[in-house]
C-alpha cells in the first residue's frame, strides 16, 4: 500500500495556507495537489494531480509532467472518448487514475453546510457533520433526490459506480481506480471491486452486489 496525502481544493484562510505548506513539506509520502498553489509548492517533486486541477488536454498534462506530475486523476466531467484520446499520447512514466465509485464531489464551499443548517458559526461547528456521516440529502419540490450536502462539499445524490467498466478501463490503460469511502460497507465494496478486477466476479454480478451496499441509487 502507498499513502498519498491530499491537499485541500479550496484555500481561503491563513490556516488553510499553513496546512497546505505542512502537507506539501512531507517527503515521506507522495502528495496529491488539488490547486495550483499546491503544484507550486511541489514543483520538482513527484506528485499526483487531483481531479480538481481540471486536466482536459494533452498540453496541460505535458506541462504538469514537466513540473513533477507522475499520476493524474481524470476530471469527473470527462467522458470515455476524451480519456481515450488523452491515453493515446500520455507522457511516458505517467499513471492515470479514474474516480470509479462514490458520491461525486461537484462543488466546494468555504462554509460548512451542516453547521450553517444549524446556525452554528464556522469556528464553533461542534463537529455537526458527525451526525450525518453520509451527508444531508437535498430534494426537489417533487421530492426527488437532487444533491447531498456533506460538510463543505456539494455531492451527487446518486452513487457513481463504474464497477462494470473495469475491463474497458484496463483496455484504455487506466492504472488506478478511486473508491470514495462511505460510512458503512466500505470493506465489502473494496472486495467486490478487487474480485471484479481479478475476474473472479462478473461485471453484472458485481453491479448487482453493489446495489445492496450503496447508501443510495447508483448511476
Amino acid at each position: 500500500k502507498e499513502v498519498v496525502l491530499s491537499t485541500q481544493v479550496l484555500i481561503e484562510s491563513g490556516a488553510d495556507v499553513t496546512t497546505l505548506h505542512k502537507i506539501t513539506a512531507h517527503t515521506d509520502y507522495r502528495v496529491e495537489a488539488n490547486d495550483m498553489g499546491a503544484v507550486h509548492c511541489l514543483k520538482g517533486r513527484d506528485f499526483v494531480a487531483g481531479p480538481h486541477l481540471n486536466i482536459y488536454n494533452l498540453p496541460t498534462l505535458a506541462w504538469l509532467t514537466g513540473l513533477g506530475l507522475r499520476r493524474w486523476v481524470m476530471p469527473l466531467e470527462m467522458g470515455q472518448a476524451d480519456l481515450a484520446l488523452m491515453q493515446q499520447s500520455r507522457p511516458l512514466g505517467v499513471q492515470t487514475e479514474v474516480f470509479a465509485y462514490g458520491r461525486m464531489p461537484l462543488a466546494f464551499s468555504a462554509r460548512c453546510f451542516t453547521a450553517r443548517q444549524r446556525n452554528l458559526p464556522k469556528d464553533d461547528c461542534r463537529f455537526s457533520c458527525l451526525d450525518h456521516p453520509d451527508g444531508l440529502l437535498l430534494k426537489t419540490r417533487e421530492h426527488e433526490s437532487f444533491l447531498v450536502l456533506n460538510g463543505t462539499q456539494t455531492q451527487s445524490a446518486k452513487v457513481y459506480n463504474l464497477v462494470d467498466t473495469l475491463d474497458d478501463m484496463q483496455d484504455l490503460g487506466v492504472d488506478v481506480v478511486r473508491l470514495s469511502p462511505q460510512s458503512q460497507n466500505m470493506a465489502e465494496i473494496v472486495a467486490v471491486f478487487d474480485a471484479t478486477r481479478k475476474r473472479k466476479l462478473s461485471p453484472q454480478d458485481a453491479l448487482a452486489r453493489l446495489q445492496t451496499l450503496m447508501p443510495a441509487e447508483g448511476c
Side-chain angles (χ1 to χ4, degrees):
K1 297 180 177 66
E2 179 194 7
V3 174
V4 178
L5 304 178
S6 178
T7 67
Q8 291 175 237
V9 177
L10 183 64
I11 305 292
E12 57 89 33
S13 70
D16 289 344
V17 174
T18 300
T19 300
L20 169 66
H21 285 293
K22 186 182 295 184
I23 292 173
T24 55
H26 269 281
T27 56
D28 295 331
Y29 306 105
R30 187 177 290 186
V31 175
E32 176 182 301
N34 275 301
D35 84 317
M36 291 309 296
V39 171
H40 175 75
C41 293
L42 294 165
K43 184 179 179 181
R45 293 169 47 196
D46 290 1
F47 68 89
V48 178
H52 310 293
L53 285 187
N54 298 324
I55 302 173
Y56 288 106
N57 55 63
L58 286 165
T60 301
L61 184 61
W63 175 66
L64 288 169
T65 300
L67 298 180
L69 177 150
R70 291 299 175 266
R71 182 159 82 229
W72 72 292
V73 186
M74 184 188 83
L76 296 173
E77 298 85 359
M78 183 177 283
Q80 183 176 0
D82 292 326
L83 175 61
L85 289 174
M86 295 284 285
Q87 292 293 83
Q88 287 176 9
S89 302
R90 177 178 56 172
L92 291 175
V94 170
Q95 292 182 320
T96 297
E97 180 176 337
V98 172
F99 187 101
Y101 179 86
R103 283 188 161 123
M104 294 180 286
L106 304 175
F108 295 83
S109 170
R111 184 74 163 94
C112 172
F113 291 110
T114 313
R116 179 67 185 86
Q117 187 241 5
R118 294 187 175 184
N119 290 320
L120 293 172
K122 182 178 180 180
D123 295 333
D124 185 25
C125 65
R126 303 174 196 173
F127 299 104
S128 305
C129 56
L130 296 179
D131 294 333
H132 305 280
D134 287 312
L136 288 163
L137 181 63
L138 181 67
K139 293 184 177 182
T140 65
R141 289 183 177 180
E142 291 74 30
H143 304 290
E144 296 179 356
S145 298
F146 178 46
L147 296 168
V148 163
L149 303 180
N150 195 343
T152 60
Q153 290 190 40
T154 301
Q155 300 176 327
S156 61
K158 293 183 178 181
V159 180
Y160 192 59
N161 181 13
L162 298 182
V163 70
D164 57 336
T165 67
L166 290 182
D167 285 345
D168 294 336
M169 285 192 276
Q170 285 187 338
D171 291 342
L172 286 175
V174 172
D175 302 280
V176 181
V177 293
R178 174 169 299 201
L179 312 182
S180 184
Q182 60 192 46
S183 64
Q184 297 179 356
N185 305 320
M186 200 59 210
E188 293 92 331
I189 290 166
V190 172
V192 169
F193 267 86
D194 190 42
T196 309
R197 176 179 67 91
K198 295 176 179 176
R199 293 184 169 85
K200 295 179 179 179
L201 192 65
S202 72
Q204 294 74 26
D205 290 341
L207 203 58
R209 173 69 179 131
L210 288 180
Q211 293 290 348
T212 66
L213 300 172
M214 296 188 295
E217 181 183 354
C219 66

